[in-house]
């Protein structure tokens, strides 16, 4: 069982920055893949960015070049640095961990970008 706790969401103006954190209840070096998803009202949950335990990252086209995912194995934490935020980035952001054969979700943190 993996428990994930997100933090760092909030209200920011367009063009601003936020950093989200996802703290895991066990060593993330044992987790194959960790990712951030988001879900806006009336829309499906979508992958924003992910990172393997080897450090390889992937991003949605909509955030490429603006968001950076990173992991700190010593702190058992994954981060999402979000820059040049746009109103369309407004959503609840969820942390996800894939530790075979299961997947785990955090409770989500709200990010609101005002125009």
């Amino acid at each position: 069982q993996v428990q994930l706790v997100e933090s760092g969401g909030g209200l920011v103006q367009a063009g601003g920055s936020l950093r989200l954190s996802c703290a895991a209840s066990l060593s993330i070096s044992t987790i194959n893949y960790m990712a951030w998803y988001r879900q806006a009202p009336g829309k499906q949950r979508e992958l924003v960015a992910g990172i393997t335990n080897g450090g390889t990252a992937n991003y949605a086209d909509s955030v490429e070049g603006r968001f950076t995912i990173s992991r700190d194995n010593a702190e058992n934490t994954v981060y999402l640095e979000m820059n040049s935020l746009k109103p369309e980035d407004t959503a609840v952001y969820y942390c996800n961990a894939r530790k075979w054969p299961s997947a785990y979700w955090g409770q989500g943190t709200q990010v609101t970008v005002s125009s």
Side-chain angles (χ1 to χ4, degrees), residues 70-86:
S70 61
R71 59 194 294 161
D72 184 335
N73 287 353
E75 296 294 328
N76 295 325
T77 300
V78 173
Y79 301 98
L80 185 68
E81 186 75 36
M82 305 186 295
N83 298 314
S84 302
L85 282 161
K86 304 175 181 180

Side-chain angles (χ1 to χ4, degrees), residues 46-96:
E46 62 175 359
L47 176 67
V48 175
I51 187 166
T52 68
N53 59 5
T56 300
N58 62 285
Y59 298 93
D61 289 345
S62 59
V63 306
E64 183 82 52
R66 299 189 297 122
F67 291 11
T68 302
I69 189 170
S70 61
R71 59 194 294 161
D72 184 335
N73 287 353
E75 296 294 328
N76 295 325
T77 300
V78 173
Y79 301 98
L80 185 68
E81 186 75 36
M82 305 186 295
N83 298 314
S84 302
L85 282 161
K86 304 175 181 180
E88 51 263 44
D89 294 318
T90 295
V92 178
Y93 284 71
Y94 296 91
C95 183
N96 171 265

Side-chain angles (χ1 to χ4, degrees), residues 8-35:
L11 174 64
V12 64
Q13 289 189 332
S17 299
L18 283 174
R19 188 176 80 156
L20 305 183
S21 300
C22 172
S25 60
L26 51 66
S27 172
I28 64 172
S29 63
T30 66
I31 299 174
N32 308 98
Y33 184 77
M34 296 195 71

